[in-house]
Amino acid sequence: MNDIEKELEQIQTEAEMAEFHKNYLSKTGKLTMMMAGLKDLPASERAEAGKRYNELKRAIESQFFKKQASLRAKAVNEKLKNDPLIDITIPAIKKTQGSLHPITHLTRRVAEICSSMGFLVVDGNEVVTEFENFDAVNIPADHPARDMQDTFWLTNGKLLKTQTSALQHEILKKHGPVVSAIFPGRCYRNEATDASHEFSFFQCEGMMVGENISIANLIYVMKTILSQIFGREIEVRLRPGFFPFVEPGFELDGSCPFCGGKGCSVCKHSGWIELGGCGMIHENVLKMADVNPEQYQGFAFGFGLTRLAMMQYAINDVRLLNSGNLEFLRGIKR
Ligand code: FA5
């Protein structure tokens, strides 16, 4: 051990450490000056001396930092032992990791499944125009269908979208005429809430437009999405249904993922679960977005993501999802 190392070993306080650093390791310290002196040595000795100098400096620095860490740890322990406000016998607070909201989790899963089938995943506005939400999807001002979706109107004449169908027009204009896209999003309806109705909920819309697109494609896509979400084969059933933007239009049911269609309390013993609406896009909707209905056809569907999440995570009251209740959220297995 050389003299410098001995000096370092005897140090007891952080102030002495600072002094040592100043004397040896700082810019003007002795070790740094030694390096500067190397240039005065004869060339034949310079390489060997430089190597020894570097070894020495590295060894001193390494011991210095080790000693510094141990002195700091000692100081902290002293403080903890002597500070009357700190009780080191109290168990540490366990950090809990956050997790995704069930709707976010399900939305991402649906997006993943649909992207793997070549669908674009599009994010849309929550505030839309009357034209986008109604007129562009074939619901003119005097159409009774406007009353089916009680609307939150804004003072500027715009509204909170009542359905994800409000994005159909924009997507057709932007990406059409040949396009496959899904657009999950939040919708709002000015209606009384109960265990299965919220004023704010999520839907997922899907659309496929191109040449020779048929209801068979619609059924295949819905079957694939639902089967992948639930991890088992799901059958799809279409019943006639009215939506002004599709013709023909259907109510979309999936076979109950819990009983496999045999009948249970979730499906109210019918074997089927109502998921949303779908159909072949009405030619007026295509025309309004400058898509020629003679050449292109397409399907659209819109299902309730919130209702799907309720089924998947066995949630019996939709209002819990917007409640911000952490106990409820922690209890859900994703
Ligand atoms: C529509 O909103 C249509 N835009 C769906 C559609 C798209 C049809 C494309 C054809 C082609 P509907 O109003 O039935 O349809 O709503 C669809 C789904 O949204 C419902 O089945 C339900 O799952 C969900 N939903 C509707 N209102 C609420 C609500 N208040 N709370 C929770 N979920 C709701």
Side-chain angles (χ1 to χ4, degrees):
M1 189 183 284
N2 61 42
D3 290 346
I4 307 179
E5 285 172 316
K6 266 191 211 135
E7 192 179 328
L8 183 58
E9 207 187 46
Q10 279 157 16
I11 288 180
Q12 295 297 328
T13 67
E14 288 204 65
E16 286 167 358
M17 286 300 282
E19 188 62 22
F20 179 92
H21 188 272
K22 188 169 142 238
N23 289 345
Y24 293 102
L25 298 169
S26 70
K27 260 195 205 156
T28 51
K30 286 182 196 152
L31 275 173
T32 318
M33 298 321 258
M34 260 169 75
M35 175 68 169
L38 289 180
K39 69 174 182 337
D40 302 329
L41 290 175
S44 56
E45 293 171 25
R46 221 177 284 152
E48 182 54 30
K51 194 170 150 233
R52 271 191 281 118
Y53 164 81
N54 277 331
E55 280 166 6
L56 174 69
K57 186 154 191 251
R58 259 199 302 272
I60 303 275
E61 273 175 345
S62 144
Q63 285 173 43
F64 175 86
F65 290 124
K66 239 189 252 162
K67 180 102 191 186
Q68 192 177 47
S70 97
L71 280 179
R72 283 200 179 144
K74 209 168 132 201
V76 170
N77 281 334
E78 286 295 313
K79 188 168 171 0
L80 287 176
K81 231 193 277 163
N82 300 327
D83 189 334
L85 296 177
I86 298 174
D87 181 356
I88 55 168
T89 62
I90 294 175
I93 296 169
K94 220 168 121 198
K95 283 200 185 135
T96 49
Q97 206 180 0
S99 55
L100 293 177
H101 189 278
I103 299 281
T104 311
H105 196 261
L106 181 60
T107 306
R108 291 193 182 178
R109 180 80 189 108
V110 172
E112 199 177 84
I113 295 166
C114 293
S115 315
S116 75
M117 290 194 283
F119 281 75
L120 287 175
V121 179
V122 182
D123 193 19
N125 293 335
E126 291 187 14
V127 173
V128 296
T129 61
E130 182 176 0
F131 174 77
E132 290 168 317
N133 199 83
F134 294 119
D135 303 78
V137 284
N138 204 27
I139 313 178
D142 53 356
H143 199 290
R146 285 206 180 191
D147 303 334
M148 283 156 61
Q149 298 178 2
D150 288 327
T151 307
F152 285 110
W153 291 95
L154 305 180
T155 47
N156 62 5
K158 293 190 175 180
L159 58 118
L160 296 177
K161 74 173 184 289
T162 63
Q163 51 180 352
T164 40
S165 307
L167 296 169
Q168 283 190 12
H169 180 79
E170 189 190 334
I171 288 170
L172 279 174
K173 289 260 320 189
K174 200 160 163 192
H175 303 283
V178 176
V179 58
S180 301
I182 60 153
F183 23 116
R186 196 188 271 278
C187 304
Y188 299 83
R189 291 191 194 170
N190 190 359
E191 54 185 53
T193 61
D194 61 29
S196 50
H197 293 86
E198 254 293 18
F199 70 89
S200 163
F201 56 94
F202 286 81
Q203 287 186 341
C204 179
E205 192 94 356
M207 207 164 63
M208 182 182 271
V209 179
E211 287 179 276
N212 303 317
I213 305 287
S214 72
I215 293 172
N217 301 123
L218 163 65
I219 294 175
Y220 174 79
V221 167
M222 284 317 308
K223 211 169 136 59
T224 307
I225 297 175
L226 293 170
S227 302
Q228 295 224 17
I229 290 175
F230 289 106
R232 67 181 291 179
E233 186 85 1
I234 302 284
E235 293 303 323
V236 165
R237 178 174 83 170
L238 303 184
R239 290 175 288 118
F242 173 69
F243 302 94
F245 31 92
V246 282
E247 179 58 37
F250 307 101
E251 298 285 350
L252 173 78
D253 297 339
S255 59
C256 177
F258 301 101
C259 61
K262 290 191 194 80
C264 66
S265 59
V266 179
C267 61
K268 301 197 185 86
H269 302 283
S270 70
W272 295 95
I273 301 221
E274 216 178 292
L275 296 168
C278 61
M280 296 303 289
I281 301 176
H282 196 290
E283 63 170 27
N284 288 352
V285 175
L286 295 176
K287 277 189 212 154
M288 269 185 279
D290 304 323
V291 177
N292 177 5
E294 302 297 327
Q295 190 180 355
Y296 302 103
Q297 317 77 44
F299 65 75
F301 60 80
F303 60 83
L305 260 182
T306 297
R307 296 253 173 97
L308 209 59
M310 287 175 71
M311 271 168 55
Q312 200 181 18
Y313 304 116
I315 298 164
N316 60 9
D317 191 326
V318 66
R319 291 165 294 194
L320 285 166
L321 285 161
N322 282 349
S323 68
N325 179 336
L326 291 179
E327 281 306 299
F328 155 73
L329 291 171
R330 280 192 199 111
I332 290 180
K333 290 244 171 338
R334 290 162 191 94

